[in-house]
Short mmCIF file of all heavy atoms in Angstrom, two decimals:
data_model
loop_
_atom_site.label_atom_id
_atom_site.label_comp_id
_atom_site.label_asym_id
_atom_site.label_seq_id
_atom_site.Cartn_x
_atom_site.Cartn_y
_atom_site.Cartn_z
N MET C 243 9.05 3.80 10.58
CA MET C 243 8.78 3.86 9.15
C MET C 243 8.29 2.50 8.66
O MET C 243 8.74 1.47 9.12
CB MET C 243 10.05 4.24 8.39
CG MET C 243 10.55 5.65 8.65
SD MET C 243 9.45 6.93 8.07
CE MET C 243 9.91 7.04 6.38
N LEU C 244 7.39 2.56 7.72
CA LEU C 244 6.85 1.35 7.10
C LEU C 244 7.57 1.10 5.79
O LEU C 244 7.93 2.04 5.08
CB LEU C 244 5.36 1.53 6.82
CG LEU C 244 4.48 1.91 7.99
CD1 LEU C 244 3.10 2.31 7.49
CD2 LEU C 244 4.39 0.78 8.98
N THR C 245 7.76 -0.16 5.47
CA THR C 245 8.27 -0.53 4.15
C THR C 245 7.07 -0.92 3.31
O THR C 245 6.30 -1.81 3.70
CB THR C 245 9.26 -1.69 4.23
OG1 THR C 245 10.37 -1.29 5.04
CG2 THR C 245 9.75 -2.10 2.85
N VAL C 246 6.88 -0.25 2.19
CA VAL C 246 5.77 -0.54 1.29
C VAL C 246 6.34 -1.21 0.05
O VAL C 246 7.27 -0.70 -0.58
CB VAL C 246 5.03 0.76 0.90
CG1 VAL C 246 3.90 0.46 -0.09
CG2 VAL C 246 4.49 1.45 2.14
N ARG C 247 5.78 -2.38 -0.29
CA ARG C 247 6.20 -3.10 -1.49
C ARG C 247 5.02 -3.18 -2.45
O ARG C 247 3.92 -3.53 -2.06
CB ARG C 247 6.70 -4.49 -1.14
CG ARG C 247 7.88 -4.46 -0.19
CD ARG C 247 8.52 -5.80 0.02
NE ARG C 247 7.58 -6.81 0.51
CZ ARG C 247 7.93 -8.04 0.85
NH1 ARG C 247 9.21 -8.41 0.75
NH2 ARG C 247 7.03 -8.90 1.28
N TYR C 248 5.29 -2.83 -3.71
CA TYR C 248 4.26 -2.81 -4.75
C TYR C 248 4.42 -4.01 -5.66
O TYR C 248 5.53 -4.36 -6.03
CB TYR C 248 4.41 -1.55 -5.60
CG TYR C 248 4.28 -0.26 -4.84
CD1 TYR C 248 5.41 0.42 -4.40
CD2 TYR C 248 3.03 0.29 -4.59
CE1 TYR C 248 5.29 1.62 -3.71
CE2 TYR C 248 2.91 1.49 -3.91
CZ TYR C 248 4.04 2.15 -3.47
OH TYR C 248 3.92 3.33 -2.80
N PHE C 249 3.30 -4.59 -6.07
CA PHE C 249 3.31 -5.73 -6.96
C PHE C 249 2.43 -5.46 -8.18
O PHE C 249 1.42 -4.78 -8.09
CB PHE C 249 2.82 -6.99 -6.23
CG PHE C 249 3.77 -7.42 -5.14
CD1 PHE C 249 3.67 -6.90 -3.86
CD2 PHE C 249 4.80 -8.30 -5.42
CE1 PHE C 249 4.55 -7.27 -2.86
CE2 PHE C 249 5.70 -8.67 -4.43
CZ PHE C 249 5.58 -8.16 -3.16
N ALA C 250 2.84 -5.99 -9.33
CA ALA C 250 2.08 -5.97 -10.59
C ALA C 250 1.61 -4.56 -10.93
O ALA C 250 2.40 -3.64 -11.03
CB ALA C 250 0.96 -6.98 -10.53
N GLY C 251 0.29 -4.40 -11.11
CA GLY C 251 -0.27 -3.12 -11.51
C GLY C 251 -0.06 -2.01 -10.50
O GLY C 251 -0.03 -0.83 -10.87
N ALA C 252 0.10 -2.35 -9.25
CA ALA C 252 0.39 -1.33 -8.23
C ALA C 252 1.77 -0.73 -8.48
O ALA C 252 1.96 0.48 -8.36
CB ALA C 252 0.29 -1.92 -6.82
N ARG C 253 2.72 -1.57 -8.85
CA ARG C 253 4.07 -1.08 -9.17
C ARG C 253 4.02 -0.15 -10.38
O ARG C 253 4.63 0.92 -10.37
CB ARG C 253 5.01 -2.25 -9.44
CG ARG C 253 6.43 -1.79 -9.77
CD ARG C 253 7.34 -2.94 -10.05
NE ARG C 253 7.50 -3.71 -8.82
CZ ARG C 253 8.00 -4.94 -8.76
NH1 ARG C 253 8.38 -5.55 -9.87
NH2 ARG C 253 8.10 -5.55 -7.62
N ALA C 254 3.29 -0.54 -11.39
CA ALA C 254 3.17 0.32 -12.58
C ALA C 254 2.52 1.66 -12.23
O ALA C 254 2.97 2.71 -12.68
CB ALA C 254 2.37 -0.40 -13.66
N ALA C 255 1.47 1.62 -11.41
CA ALA C 255 0.77 2.85 -11.03
C ALA C 255 1.62 3.74 -10.12
O ALA C 255 1.39 4.94 -10.04
CB ALA C 255 -0.55 2.51 -10.35
N ALA C 256 2.61 3.15 -9.45
CA ALA C 256 3.52 3.91 -8.58
C ALA C 256 4.77 4.31 -9.36
O ALA C 256 5.86 4.44 -8.81
CB ALA C 256 3.89 3.10 -7.35
N ASN C 257 4.60 4.47 -10.67
CA ASN C 257 5.69 4.92 -11.54
C ASN C 257 6.89 3.99 -11.53
O ASN C 257 8.03 4.44 -11.57
CB ASN C 257 6.09 6.35 -11.18
CG ASN C 257 4.92 7.30 -11.21
OD1 ASN C 257 4.18 7.31 -12.20
ND2 ASN C 257 4.72 8.05 -10.16
N GLY C 258 6.63 2.68 -11.43
CA GLY C 258 7.70 1.69 -11.48
C GLY C 258 8.42 1.47 -10.17
O GLY C 258 9.37 0.70 -10.11
N THR C 259 7.97 2.11 -9.10
CA THR C 259 8.60 1.93 -7.79
C THR C 259 8.28 0.54 -7.27
O THR C 259 7.13 0.13 -7.24
CB THR C 259 8.06 2.99 -6.80
OG1 THR C 259 8.30 4.29 -7.33
CG2 THR C 259 8.68 2.85 -5.43
N SER C 260 9.30 -0.20 -6.86
CA SER C 260 9.05 -1.54 -6.32
C SER C 260 8.88 -1.52 -4.81
O SER C 260 8.14 -2.32 -4.26
CB SER C 260 10.16 -2.50 -6.72
OG SER C 260 11.40 -2.06 -6.22
N SER C 261 9.56 -0.59 -4.13
CA SER C 261 9.38 -0.45 -2.68
C SER C 261 9.86 0.93 -2.24
O SER C 261 10.65 1.58 -2.94
CB SER C 261 10.13 -1.54 -1.92
OG SER C 261 11.52 -1.37 -2.03
N GLU C 262 9.35 1.35 -1.10
CA GLU C 262 9.75 2.63 -0.52
C GLU C 262 9.38 2.63 0.96
O GLU C 262 8.64 1.76 1.41
CB GLU C 262 9.09 3.80 -1.24
CG GLU C 262 7.58 3.83 -1.16
CD GLU C 262 6.99 4.94 -2.01
OE1 GLU C 262 7.56 6.04 -2.07
OE2 GLU C 262 5.93 4.70 -2.62
N THR C 263 9.89 3.59 1.69
CA THR C 263 9.53 3.73 3.10
C THR C 263 8.61 4.94 3.26
O THR C 263 8.78 5.95 2.59
CB THR C 263 10.77 3.88 3.99
OG1 THR C 263 11.53 5.00 3.54
CG2 THR C 263 11.63 2.63 3.96
N VAL C 264 7.64 4.76 4.14
CA VAL C 264 6.62 5.78 4.36
C VAL C 264 6.27 5.80 5.86
O VAL C 264 6.22 4.74 6.49
CB VAL C 264 5.34 5.46 3.55
CG1 VAL C 264 4.27 6.51 3.76
CG2 VAL C 264 5.65 5.31 2.08
N ALA C 265 6.00 6.98 6.39
CA ALA C 265 5.51 7.10 7.76
C ALA C 265 3.99 7.20 7.72
O ALA C 265 3.45 8.05 7.02
CB ALA C 265 6.11 8.32 8.44
N ALA C 266 3.30 6.32 8.43
CA ALA C 266 1.83 6.36 8.52
C ALA C 266 1.41 5.50 9.70
O ALA C 266 2.07 4.51 10.02
CB ALA C 266 1.18 5.88 7.24
N GLU C 267 0.29 5.85 10.30
CA GLU C 267 -0.20 5.09 11.46
C GLU C 267 -1.28 4.07 11.11
O GLU C 267 -1.45 3.09 11.81
CB GLU C 267 -0.73 6.04 12.52
CG GLU C 267 0.38 6.86 13.16
CD GLU C 267 -0.11 7.65 14.35
OE1 GLU C 267 -1.20 7.36 14.88
OE2 GLU C 267 0.61 8.56 14.77
N THR C 268 -2.03 4.34 10.02
CA THR C 268 -3.11 3.43 9.61
C THR C 268 -3.01 3.19 8.10
O THR C 268 -2.34 3.94 7.39
CB THR C 268 -4.49 4.05 9.92
OG1 THR C 268 -4.67 5.22 9.11
CG2 THR C 268 -4.66 4.38 11.39
N LEU C 269 -3.73 2.19 7.62
CA LEU C 269 -3.77 1.95 6.17
C LEU C 269 -4.41 3.13 5.46
O LEU C 269 -4.00 3.49 4.36
CB LEU C 269 -4.53 0.67 5.84
CG LEU C 269 -3.78 -0.64 5.99
CD1 LEU C 269 -4.70 -1.81 5.66
CD2 LEU C 269 -2.54 -0.68 5.13
N GLU C 270 -5.41 3.74 6.07
CA GLU C 270 -6.05 4.91 5.45
C GLU C 270 -5.05 6.04 5.28
O GLU C 270 -4.96 6.65 4.21
CB GLU C 270 -7.25 5.37 6.30
CG GLU C 270 -8.05 6.47 5.66
CD GLU C 270 -8.75 6.04 4.38
OE1 GLU C 270 -9.16 4.88 4.26
OE2 GLU C 270 -8.87 6.89 3.48
N ALA C 271 -4.28 6.33 6.31
CA ALA C 271 -3.27 7.38 6.22
C ALA C 271 -2.18 7.00 5.22
O ALA C 271 -1.69 7.85 4.47
CB ALA C 271 -2.65 7.64 7.60
N LEU C 272 -1.83 5.73 5.18
CA LEU C 272 -0.83 5.26 4.24
C LEU C 272 -1.31 5.45 2.81
O LEU C 272 -0.58 5.98 1.97
CB LEU C 272 -0.50 3.79 4.49
CG LEU C 272 0.44 3.14 3.48
CD1 LEU C 272 1.81 3.78 3.52
CD2 LEU C 272 0.52 1.64 3.73
N THR C 273 -2.53 5.04 2.52
CA THR C 273 -3.02 5.17 1.15
C THR C 273 -3.08 6.63 0.73
O THR C 273 -2.73 6.96 -0.40
CB THR C 273 -4.39 4.48 0.95
OG1 THR C 273 -5.34 5.01 1.87
CG2 THR C 273 -4.29 2.98 1.15
N GLN C 274 -3.49 7.52 1.63
CA GLN C 274 -3.53 8.94 1.28
C GLN C 274 -2.13 9.47 0.99
O GLN C 274 -1.91 10.20 0.03
CB GLN C 274 -4.18 9.76 2.40
CG GLN C 274 -4.34 11.22 2.02
CD GLN C 274 -5.18 11.40 0.76
OE1 GLN C 274 -6.31 10.93 0.69
NE2 GLN C 274 -4.64 12.09 -0.23
N SER C 275 -1.16 9.06 1.80
CA SER C 275 0.22 9.48 1.58
C SER C 275 0.74 8.98 0.24
O SER C 275 1.42 9.71 -0.49
CB SER C 275 1.10 8.97 2.72
OG SER C 275 2.44 9.31 2.51
N LEU C 276 0.41 7.75 -0.12
CA LEU C 276 0.87 7.18 -1.38
C LEU C 276 0.22 7.87 -2.58
O LEU C 276 0.88 8.10 -3.59
CB LEU C 276 0.60 5.67 -1.41
CG LEU C 276 1.35 4.86 -0.35
CD1 LEU C 276 0.93 3.39 -0.42
CD2 LEU C 276 2.85 5.00 -0.47
N VAL C 277 -1.06 8.21 -2.46
CA VAL C 277 -1.73 8.94 -3.54
C VAL C 277 -1.11 10.33 -3.68
O VAL C 277 -0.88 10.81 -4.81
CB VAL C 277 -3.25 9.02 -3.29
CG1 VAL C 277 -3.92 9.98 -4.27
CG2 VAL C 277 -3.88 7.64 -3.38
N ASP C 278 -0.80 10.96 -2.55
CA ASP C 278 -0.15 12.28 -2.61
C ASP C 278 1.20 12.20 -3.33
O ASP C 278 1.57 13.10 -4.06
CB ASP C 278 0.05 12.85 -1.21
CG ASP C 278 -1.26 13.23 -0.54
OD1 ASP C 278 -2.30 13.32 -1.22
OD2 ASP C 278 -1.24 13.43 0.70
N ARG C 279 1.93 11.11 -3.11
CA ARG C 279 3.25 10.92 -3.73
C ARG C 279 3.17 10.57 -5.21
O ARG C 279 3.95 11.04 -6.02
CB ARG C 279 4.02 9.80 -3.05
CG ARG C 279 4.63 10.14 -1.76
CD ARG C 279 5.47 8.97 -1.28
NE ARG C 279 5.96 9.24 0.07
CZ ARG C 279 6.97 8.62 0.62
NH1 ARG C 279 7.60 7.66 -0.03
NH2 ARG C 279 7.35 8.92 1.84
N HIS C 280 2.24 9.66 -5.55
CA HIS C 280 2.26 9.04 -6.88
C HIS C 280 1.08 9.40 -7.77
O HIS C 280 1.10 9.08 -8.96
CB HIS C 280 2.36 7.52 -6.75
CG HIS C 280 3.60 7.05 -6.07
ND1 HIS C 280 4.84 7.10 -6.68
CD2 HIS C 280 3.81 6.56 -4.83
CE1 HIS C 280 5.75 6.63 -5.83
NE2 HIS C 280 5.15 6.31 -4.71
N GLY C 281 0.04 9.98 -7.22
CA GLY C 281 -1.07 10.42 -8.04
C GLY C 281 -2.30 9.53 -8.00
O GLY C 281 -2.29 8.43 -7.43
N GLU C 282 -3.34 10.02 -8.62
CA GLU C 282 -4.65 9.36 -8.57
C GLU C 282 -4.68 8.02 -9.30
O GLU C 282 -5.50 7.16 -8.98
CB GLU C 282 -5.73 10.29 -9.12
CG GLU C 282 -7.13 9.80 -8.83
CD GLU C 282 -7.40 9.48 -7.36
OE1 GLU C 282 -6.95 10.22 -6.47
OE2 GLU C 282 -8.05 8.45 -7.10
N ARG C 283 -3.80 7.81 -10.24
CA ARG C 283 -3.75 6.49 -10.91
C ARG C 283 -3.49 5.40 -9.87
O ARG C 283 -4.15 4.36 -9.87
CB ARG C 283 -2.66 6.49 -11.98
CG ARG C 283 -2.56 5.19 -12.73
CD ARG C 283 -1.57 5.30 -13.87
NE ARG C 283 -1.34 3.99 -14.44
CZ ARG C 283 -0.18 3.56 -14.86
NH1 ARG C 283 0.88 4.34 -14.79
NH2 ARG C 283 -0.05 2.36 -15.38
N LEU C 284 -2.54 5.66 -8.96
CA LEU C 284 -2.30 4.69 -7.88
C LEU C 284 -3.50 4.64 -6.95
O LEU C 284 -3.87 3.57 -6.46
CB LEU C 284 -1.03 5.04 -7.11
CG LEU C 284 -0.70 4.10 -5.94
CD1 LEU C 284 -0.52 2.66 -6.41
CD2 LEU C 284 0.55 4.58 -5.20
N GLY C 285 -4.14 5.77 -6.71
CA GLY C 285 -5.32 5.79 -5.85
C GLY C 285 -6.41 4.85 -6.34
O GLY C 285 -7.05 4.15 -5.54
N LEU C 286 -6.61 4.78 -7.64
CA LEU C 286 -7.61 3.86 -8.20
C LEU C 286 -7.23 2.42 -7.95
O LEU C 286 -8.08 1.58 -7.64
CB LEU C 286 -7.78 4.13 -9.70
CG LEU C 286 -8.39 5.48 -10.05
CD1 LEU C 286 -8.35 5.70 -11.57
CD2 LEU C 286 -9.81 5.59 -9.53
N VAL C 287 -5.95 2.11 -8.09
CA VAL C 287 -5.48 0.74 -7.82
C VAL C 287 -5.66 0.41 -6.34
O VAL C 287 -6.10 -0.69 -5.99
CB VAL C 287 -4.00 0.58 -8.24
CG1 VAL C 287 -3.44 -0.76 -7.80
CG2 VAL C 287 -3.86 0.74 -9.75
N LEU C 288 -5.34 1.36 -5.47
CA LEU C 288 -5.41 1.11 -4.03
C LEU C 288 -6.83 0.84 -3.55
O LEU C 288 -7.04 0.10 -2.58
CB LEU C 288 -4.81 2.28 -3.25
CG LEU C 288 -3.32 2.51 -3.45
CD1 LEU C 288 -2.87 3.75 -2.69
CD2 LEU C 288 -2.51 1.29 -3.02
N LYS C 289 -7.82 1.40 -4.24
CA LYS C 289 -9.22 1.17 -3.85
C LYS C 289 -9.60 -0.30 -4.00
O LYS C 289 -10.43 -0.81 -3.26
CB LYS C 289 -10.15 2.05 -4.68
CG LYS C 289 -10.10 3.49 -4.28
CD LYS C 289 -11.02 4.33 -5.14
CE LYS C 289 -10.85 5.80 -4.75
NZ LYS C 289 -11.67 6.68 -5.58
N ALA C 290 -9.00 -1.00 -4.95
CA ALA C 290 -9.33 -2.40 -5.20
C ALA C 290 -8.28 -3.37 -4.67
O ALA C 290 -8.48 -4.58 -4.70
CB ALA C 290 -9.50 -2.63 -6.70
N ALA C 291 -7.18 -2.85 -4.18
CA ALA C 291 -6.04 -3.69 -3.77
C ALA C 291 -6.29 -4.41 -2.45
O ALA C 291 -7.09 -3.97 -1.62
CB ALA C 291 -4.78 -2.83 -3.67
N SER C 292 -5.54 -5.48 -2.28
CA SER C 292 -5.44 -6.16 -0.99
C SER C 292 -4.15 -5.72 -0.33
O SER C 292 -3.16 -5.44 -1.01
CB SER C 292 -5.40 -7.68 -1.18
OG SER C 292 -6.59 -8.13 -1.76
N PHE C 293 -4.17 -5.67 0.99
CA PHE C 293 -3.00 -5.26 1.75
C PHE C 293 -2.57 -6.38 2.69
O PHE C 293 -3.40 -6.95 3.40
CB PHE C 293 -3.31 -4.01 2.59
CG PHE C 293 -3.63 -2.81 1.77
CD1 PHE C 293 -4.93 -2.57 1.34
CD2 PHE C 293 -2.64 -1.90 1.41
CE1 PHE C 293 -5.24 -1.45 0.58
CE2 PHE C 293 -2.93 -0.79 0.65
CZ PHE C 293 -4.24 -0.56 0.22
N LEU C 294 -1.29 -6.69 2.66
CA LEU C 294 -0.72 -7.62 3.63
C LEU C 294 0.15 -6.81 4.57
O LEU C 294 1.00 -6.02 4.13
CB LEU C 294 0.13 -8.68 2.94
CG LEU C 294 -0.55 -9.59 1.93
CD1 LEU C 294 0.46 -10.58 1.37
CD2 LEU C 294 -1.73 -10.30 2.54
N VAL C 295 -0.08 -6.98 5.86
CA VAL C 295 0.72 -6.31 6.88
C VAL C 295 1.56 -7.39 7.56
O VAL C 295 1.02 -8.27 8.22
CB VAL C 295 -0.17 -5.58 7.91
CG1 VAL C 295 0.67 -4.94 9.00
CG2 VAL C 295 -1.05 -4.54 7.21
N ASP C 296 2.85 -7.32 7.33
CA ASP C 296 3.76 -8.37 7.82
C ASP C 296 3.26 -9.77 7.45
O ASP C 296 3.28 -10.69 8.25
CB ASP C 296 3.98 -8.24 9.33
CG ASP C 296 4.83 -7.04 9.69
OD1 ASP C 296 5.62 -6.57 8.83
OD2 ASP C 296 4.73 -6.55 10.82
N GLY C 297 2.77 -9.89 6.21
CA GLY C 297 2.36 -11.18 5.68
C GLY C 297 0.93 -11.59 5.98
O GLY C 297 0.48 -12.63 5.50
N LEU C 298 0.18 -10.79 6.73
CA LEU C 298 -1.20 -11.12 7.08
C LEU C 298 -2.16 -10.14 6.42
O LEU C 298 -1.94 -8.92 6.45
CB LEU C 298 -1.40 -11.08 8.59
CG LEU C 298 -0.53 -12.04 9.41
CD1 LEU C 298 -0.71 -11.78 10.89
CD2 LEU C 298 -0.86 -13.48 9.06
N THR C 299 -3.24 -10.66 5.85
CA THR C 299 -4.23 -9.82 5.21
C THR C 299 -4.84 -8.85 6.21
O THR C 299 -5.18 -9.24 7.34
CB THR C 299 -5.36 -10.67 4.60
OG1 THR C 299 -4.78 -11.59 3.67
CG2 THR C 299 -6.39 -9.82 3.90
N CYS C 300 -4.98 -7.60 5.81
CA CYS C 300 -5.60 -6.59 6.66
C CYS C 300 -6.67 -5.89 5.85
O CYS C 300 -6.39 -5.30 4.80
CB CYS C 300 -4.55 -5.59 7.15
SG CYS C 300 -5.23 -4.34 8.26
N HIS C 301 -7.93 -5.96 6.33
CA HIS C 301 -9.06 -5.32 5.65
C HIS C 301 -9.48 -4.02 6.33
O HIS C 301 -10.18 -3.22 5.74
CB HIS C 301 -10.26 -6.26 5.60
CG HIS C 301 -10.00 -7.52 4.84
ND1 HIS C 301 -9.92 -7.56 3.47
CD2 HIS C 301 -9.78 -8.78 5.26
CE1 HIS C 301 -9.67 -8.79 3.07
NE2 HIS C 301 -9.57 -9.55 4.14
N ASP C 302 -9.06 -3.82 7.56
CA ASP C 302 -9.45 -2.65 8.35
C ASP C 302 -8.50 -1.49 8.08
O ASP C 302 -7.38 -1.46 8.56
CB ASP C 302 -9.45 -3.01 9.84
CG ASP C 302 -9.90 -1.85 10.72
OD1 ASP C 302 -10.22 -0.76 10.19
OD2 ASP C 302 -9.92 -2.05 11.95
N ARG C 303 -8.97 -0.55 7.30
CA ARG C 303 -8.10 0.57 6.91
C ARG C 303 -7.90 1.57 8.05
O ARG C 303 -7.08 2.46 7.93
CB ARG C 303 -8.64 1.25 5.66
CG ARG C 303 -8.57 0.29 4.47
CD ARG C 303 -8.69 0.98 3.18
NE ARG C 303 -8.58 -0.01 2.10
CZ ARG C 303 -8.16 0.30 0.90
NH1 ARG C 303 -7.81 1.52 0.61
NH2 ARG C 303 -8.09 -0.63 -0.03
N GLN C 304 -8.62 1.41 9.15
CA GLN C 304 -8.43 2.28 10.31
C GLN C 304 -7.55 1.63 11.38
O GLN C 304 -7.22 2.26 12.38
CB GLN C 304 -9.78 2.64 10.93
CG GLN C 304 -10.69 3.40 9.98
CD GLN C 304 -10.05 4.67 9.44
OE1 GLN C 304 -9.40 5.42 10.17
NE2 GLN C 304 -10.20 4.92 8.15
N ALA C 305 -7.16 0.38 11.17
CA ALA C 305 -6.32 -0.33 12.14
C ALA C 305 -4.95 0.35 12.26
O ALA C 305 -4.38 0.79 11.26
CB ALA C 305 -6.14 -1.79 11.73
N VAL C 306 -4.44 0.42 13.47
CA VAL C 306 -3.11 0.98 13.69
C VAL C 306 -2.08 -0.03 13.20
O VAL C 306 -2.14 -1.22 13.52
CB VAL C 306 -2.90 1.29 15.19
CG1 VAL C 306 -1.49 1.77 15.45
CG2 VAL C 306 -3.91 2.33 15.65
N LEU C 307 -1.13 0.46 12.42
CA LEU C 307 -0.08 -0.41 11.86
C LEU C 307 1.08 -0.52 12.84
O LEU C 307 1.45 0.45 13.49
CB LEU C 307 0.42 0.19 10.54
CG LEU C 307 -0.64 0.28 9.44
CD1 LEU C 307 -0.11 1.11 8.27
CD2 LEU C 307 -1.05 -1.10 8.98
N PRO C 308 1.67 -1.72 12.94
CA PRO C 308 2.83 -1.88 13.82
C PRO C 308 4.02 -1.07 13.31
O PRO C 308 4.20 -0.94 12.09
CB PRO C 308 3.15 -3.38 13.76
CG PRO C 308 2.10 -4.01 12.94
CD PRO C 308 1.30 -2.95 12.27
N PRO C 309 4.83 -0.55 14.21
CA PRO C 309 6.02 0.17 13.75
C PRO C 309 6.92 -0.76 12.95
O PRO C 309 7.01 -1.95 13.25
CB PRO C 309 6.71 0.61 15.04
CG PRO C 309 5.85 0.18 16.17
CD PRO C 309 4.73 -0.63 15.64
N ASP C 310 7.56 -0.24 11.94
CA ASP C 310 8.51 -0.99 11.11
C ASP C 310 7.87 -2.16 10.37
O ASP C 310 8.56 -3.10 9.98
CB ASP C 310 9.70 -1.48 11.94
CG ASP C 310 10.44 -0.33 12.59
OD1 ASP C 310 10.61 0.72 11.93
OD2 ASP C 310 10.85 -0.46 13.76
N ALA C 311 6.56 -2.11 10.14
CA ALA C 311 5.88 -3.18 9.41
C ALA C 311 6.22 -3.12 7.92
O ALA C 311 6.61 -2.09 7.39
CB ALA C 311 4.36 -3.07 9.59
N THR C 312 6.04 -4.26 7.26
CA THR C 312 6.14 -4.33 5.81
C THR C 312 4.72 -4.47 5.27
O THR C 312 3.98 -5.37 5.68
CB THR C 312 7.00 -5.53 5.36
OG1 THR C 312 8.32 -5.35 5.85
CG2 THR C 312 7.02 -5.65 3.84
N ILE C 313 4.37 -3.57 4.37
CA ILE C 313 3.04 -3.56 3.77
C ILE C 313 3.18 -3.96 2.30
O ILE C 313 3.86 -3.29 1.54
CB ILE C 313 2.39 -2.16 3.84
CG1 ILE C 313 2.52 -1.54 5.24
CG2 ILE C 313 0.95 -2.22 3.36
CD1 ILE C 313 1.87 -2.31 6.34
N ASP C 314 2.55 -5.06 1.92
CA ASP C 314 2.53 -5.50 0.52
C ASP C 314 1.22 -5.05 -0.09
O ASP C 314 0.15 -5.27 0.50
CB ASP C 314 2.66 -7.01 0.42
CG ASP C 314 4.01 -7.51 0.89
OD1 ASP C 314 5.01 -6.80 0.71
OD2 ASP C 314 4.05 -8.63 1.44
N ILE C 315 1.29 -4.42 -1.25
CA ILE C 315 0.10 -3.95 -1.96
C ILE C 315 -0.08 -4.84 -3.18
O ILE C 315 0.76 -4.87 -4.09
CB ILE C 315 0.23 -2.48 -2.36
CG1 ILE C 315 0.40 -1.63 -1.09
CG2 ILE C 315 -0.97 -2.04 -3.17
CD1 ILE C 315 0.63 -0.17 -1.35
N LEU C 316 -1.20 -5.57 -3.18
CA LEU C 316 -1.50 -6.54 -4.22
C LEU C 316 -2.78 -6.14 -4.95
O LEU C 316 -3.87 -6.23 -4.39
CB LEU C 316 -1.69 -7.93 -3.61
CG LEU C 316 -0.55 -8.41 -2.70
CD1 LEU C 316 -0.98 -9.65 -1.93
CD2 LEU C 316 0.68 -8.69 -3.52
N PRO C 317 -2.65 -5.70 -6.20
CA PRO C 317 -3.86 -5.37 -6.95
C PRO C 317 -4.57 -6.65 -7.35
O PRO C 317 -3.98 -7.74 -7.28
CB PRO C 317 -3.31 -4.64 -8.18
CG PRO C 317 -1.96 -5.19 -8.37
CD PRO C 317 -1.44 -5.50 -6.99
N PRO C 318 -5.83 -6.55 -7.78
CA PRO C 318 -6.52 -7.75 -8.27
C PRO C 318 -5.74 -8.33 -9.46
O PRO C 318 -5.24 -7.58 -10.30
CB PRO C 318 -7.87 -7.24 -8.72
CG PRO C 318 -8.04 -5.92 -8.06
CD PRO C 318 -6.67 -5.37 -7.85
N PHE C 319 -5.62 -9.63 -9.48
CA PHE C 319 -4.91 -10.30 -10.57
C PHE C 319 -5.91 -10.97 -11.49
O PHE C 319 -6.89 -11.55 -11.03
CB PHE C 319 -3.95 -11.37 -10.02
CG PHE C 319 -2.81 -10.79 -9.25
CD1 PHE C 319 -2.87 -10.69 -7.87
CD2 PHE C 319 -1.67 -10.34 -9.89
CE1 PHE C 319 -1.83 -10.15 -7.15
CE2 PHE C 319 -0.61 -9.79 -9.18
CZ PHE C 319 -0.69 -9.71 -7.80
N ALA C 320 -5.67 -10.93 -12.78
CA ALA C 320 -6.54 -11.58 -13.76
C ALA C 320 -6.15 -13.05 -13.89
O ALA C 320 -5.00 -13.41 -13.75
CB ALA C 320 -6.40 -10.89 -15.11
N GLY C 321 -7.10 -13.88 -14.15
CA GLY C 321 -6.84 -15.27 -14.46
C GLY C 321 -6.72 -16.20 -13.28
O GLY C 321 -6.44 -17.37 -13.44
N GLY C 322 -6.94 -15.68 -12.05
CA GLY C 322 -6.98 -16.53 -10.86
C GLY C 322 -5.67 -17.03 -10.48
O GLY C 322 -5.35 -17.85 -9.75
#
């Protein structure tokens, strides 16, 4: 299981959820599972979000995720 942590606007779009566990093999599968759980509002945030996998930026949404990884979802932040 993966631990997913939401920050800022991603947390708001996930109905105030700060973290949860999800089973998924890739970031693409993870994002689809999260949209299924929380709705298209989160889906819009996820399209622009950055993902950290165990603290490292991951841009490849087809990459296989390590088991028991922590995924941080960071939406774009205003003001730099």
Side-chain angles (χ1 to χ4, degrees):
M243 293 295 276
L244 304 169
T245 299
V246 178
R247 299 189 304 184
Y248 300 97
F249 294 87
R253 180 180 294 165
N257 305 310
T259 303
S260 60
S261 69
E262 63 185 321
T263 57
V264 180
E267 291 188 16
T268 65
L269 280 179
E270 186 65 34
L272 174 64
T273 57
Q274 185 58 55
S275 178
L276 297 176
V277 170
D278 291 346
R279 283 186 186 198
H280 298 287
E282 192 52 41
R283 182 174 171 219
L284 179 60
L286 293 173
V287 172
L288 295 176
K289 287 179 184 178
S292 297
F293 296 87
L294 299 181
V295 178
D296 288 336
L298 300 173
T299 302
C300 183
H301 298 286
D302 182 0
R303 294 197 179 206
Q304 298 304 318
V306 176
L307 298 170
D310 301 320
T312 297
I313 313 300
D314 294 327
I315 300 176
L316 308 168
F319 293 96

